[in-house]
Amino acid sequence: MRVAITGASGFVGRRLVPLLKERGAELLLIGRDPARLEQMFPGASTCTYDELPVRGIGYDTLVHLAVLNNTALASKAEFIAVNVELMVDTVAAARQASIPHFINVSSVHALDPSNTSKYAYSKRVGVECLRLEKGITITTVYLPFVYSKQWSGRLNILNRLPDSLASMLFILLQSLKPAVNVETVAKYIVGVATTEKESEIILSDTQEQNLFFTVCKRTLDLSFALGVGLLFWWVFLIISVLIRIQSEGPAIFAQERVGLHGRSFTCYKFRTMKLGTTQAGTHEVSASSITSLGGVLRRTKLDELPQIWNIIRNEASLVGPRPCLPVQTELIEARKRRGVLNIKPGITGLAQINNIDMSDPEKLARWDQRYVALQALLLDLRIILATAIGKGRGDRVNTETA
């Protein structure tokens, strides 16, 4: 594989270039100072940005790492000049060289619209500009904290510790915020020629193998479920009585849902719909099927309280993708394809606080995949707090047939 790279002198580039060479990639390093790149990477092929349209002919992929980072003391205009204008010019040069695939490397910070830093803003503007480009396949790859065999920056102190202790401390830190090994990035770049190219992807080390994260998340789940059950049993009783008084049928609604690894489980909620309502996704159900009390319970999310039993049974978590019905096959397939079924479903999730419901299966699956990639204890706490203050409207009913 032949790979052209901009920004090779940066933190990620210095670690990525040797790994790509080890995997047999033929590299072309692009920068304003090719002599400096040759000094850093002896024997490497180099060129300037102006030479790229000719020197880049025959290359399979261009990886754009050149960036003005959030640590730079620069004006907004300078961030735009590097993170937007230079990137757009590089895309044009890659297209001239007939390079078929352009990989724009960004940070997960840019995914958060509340992050108004000059870096995050400029990277978001850059992605919007890339969506207008034609004649070349473009993928934006979002990276969390990137690490390698040697720790750097604030984690430099770990290099002074025994390997076992340093690894243990890093696993603890990684449970709080997502990270990715630079080898994962190299593997993606080398393998991207034979894989489906999506317009956006997040590369990260998921938390599935992080024992500290697993233990902390389960402890949080159980603490919440038992705490709610012991402190608010009287709320359960009152709601149950009110439901039975207002409409015919049981207070608790039991429904088959799809959980971890696609296995079915029985999900428990307070009944918010009239008895006999069709078993379908909420977005497919008429608004007239919702009882007046049910509307209040759904708005306040109190209808979800009985799911503490699913948490205790380890069928669900407090935070995770919302479980769907077995009949929602399009959503199940999309989630399976994106690895979403590898984690337990949740009472609330990243998609829900961003007002993404099940009416658009592909969009929901993408947001669920984003949560899997970014999953960490601090993110879970943010989602819990956002849910507690009422952010997100949950699954919407079909008002057209009300």
Side-chain angles (χ1 to χ4, degrees):
M1 185 179 183
R2 307 186 75 196
V3 182
I5 304 177
T6 68
S9 61
F11 172 81
V12 175
R14 292 196 306 272
R15 288 150 181 80
L16 188 59
V17 167
L19 292 175
L20 291 174
K21 289 179 67 176
E22 287 176 12
R23 284 163 172 75
E26 182 182 340
L27 304 179
L28 173 65
L29 309 184
I30 306 148
R32 292 189 174 94
D33 189 353
R36 180 167 175 259
L37 291 173
E38 291 172 4
Q39 190 175 28
M40 293 181 68
F41 307 102
S45 297
T46 64
C47 74
T48 63
Y49 286 95
D50 291 337
E51 295 171 325
L52 176 58
V54 175
R55 293 289 304 278
I57 294 174
Y59 280 81
D60 304 297
T61 300
L62 190 149
V63 180
H64 186 64
L65 294 171
V67 67
L68 196 59
N69 280 313
N70 51 7
T71 54
L73 298 176
S75 66
K76 193 172 185 178
E78 289 172 313
F79 272 93
I80 293 294
V82 175
N83 295 348
V84 180
E85 294 169 6
L86 174 62
M87 180 180 64
V88 171
D89 290 343
T90 306
V91 171
R95 188 167 43 235
Q96 281 183 266
S98 298
I99 298 176
H101 191 203
F102 183 92
I103 298 178
N104 168 44
V105 178
S106 185
S107 165
V108 295
H109 297 303
L111 287 170
D112 183 2
S114 67
N115 187 330
T116 57
S117 68
K118 288 178 282 190
Y119 167 82
Y121 169 78
S122 62
K123 295 298 281 186
R124 286 195 292 269
V125 172
V127 170
E128 290 301 318
C129 290
L130 290 180
R131 289 181 179 141
L132 302 176
E133 296 289 338
K134 306 294 182 183
I136 185 171
T137 300
I138 297 176
T139 302
T140 295
V141 176
Y142 293 97
L143 303 179
F145 173 78
V146 180
Y147 68 95
S148 61
K149 294 178 181 178
Q150 288 293 313
W151 313 105
S152 60
R154 296 178 181 178
L155 297 182
N156 186 53
I157 191 173
L158 296 181
N159 293 318
R160 306 172 195 172
L161 302 176
D163 289 345
S164 58
L165 179 58
S167 297
M168 187 182 303
L169 289 175
F170 181 70
I171 288 172
L172 188 154
L173 293 172
Q174 197 175 15
S175 70
L176 298 174
K177 300 187 74 173
V180 63
N181 193 315
V182 69
E183 292 188 6
T184 300
V185 183
K187 183 179 179 181
Y188 169 79
I189 292 171
V190 171
V192 77
T194 58
T195 59
E196 181 181 351
K197 301 179 181 69
E198 296 211 27
S199 59
E200 295 184 4
I201 188 172
I202 302 172
L203 294 181
S204 71
D205 299 340
T206 61
Q207 301 285 3
E208 293 174 48
Q209 305 301 319
N210 190 322
L211 181 60
F212 187 84
F213 173 83
T214 301
V215 171
C216 287
K217 187 174 178 69
R218 182 61 179 154
T219 300
L220 178 63
D221 286 344
L222 286 175
S223 298
F224 171 82
L226 295 174
V228 168
L230 292 172
L231 294 176
F232 298 102
W233 60 267
W234 53 275
V235 175
F236 284 72
L237 183 60
I238 292 173
I239 293 175
S240 297
V241 171
L242 291 175
I243 291 173
R244 294 297 300 273
I245 290 174
Q246 187 185 68
S247 62
E248 182 183 355
I252 300 296
F253 177 64
Q255 189 178 56
E256 185 182 4
R257 296 291 181 102
V258 178
L260 180 65
H261 303 313
R263 294 192 294 264
S264 296
F265 72 101
T266 302
C267 180
Y268 299 96
K269 300 176 71 174
F270 280 123
R271 182 171 57 84
T272 60
M273 299 185 186
K274 297 172 184 177
L275 196 64
T277 300
T278 304
Q279 296 282 308
T282 303
H283 63 282
E284 299 174 309
V285 176
S286 169
S288 61
S289 298
I290 307 294
T291 65
S292 57
L293 176 60
V296 174
L297 294 177
R298 293 170 72 87
R299 284 194 299 274
T300 58
K301 300 182 176 67
L302 290 174
D303 63 316
E304 311 280 1
L305 286 178
Q307 288 181 62
I308 63 172
W309 181 240
N310 294 118
I311 291 178
I312 292 171
R313 288 168 56 89
N314 205 23
E315 297 167 330
S317 181
L318 181 55
V319 179
R322 291 291 292 128
C324 65
L325 297 168
V327 297
Q328 293 175 290
T329 54
E330 186 180 351
L331 177 56
I332 293 170
E333 286 303 313
R335 282 176 163 176
K336 183 178 180 180
R337 187 173 66 251
R338 295 175 180 275
V340 177
L341 298 181
N342 293 335
I343 66 172
K344 285 184 293 186
I347 295 177
T348 186
L350 182 64
Q352 283 63 49
I353 65 169
N354 284 280
N355 295 316
I356 311 298
D357 67 5
M358 295 185 178
S359 61
D360 187 337
E362 279 295 335
K363 184 177 182 180
L364 176 58
R366 287 196 301 272
W367 274 84
D368 291 337
Q369 182 184 31
R370 178 182 294 193
Y371 171 73
V372 173
L374 300 178
Q375 192 178 29
L377 294 176
L378 291 180
L379 176 60
D380 277 8
L381 290 175
R382 283 179 56 193
I383 293 172
I384 292 169
L385 290 174
T387 304
I389 62 175
K391 189 173 182 181
R393 293 176 290 176
D395 293 333
R396 291 178 283 277
V397 294
N398 189 346
T399 55
E400 292 182 6
T401 59

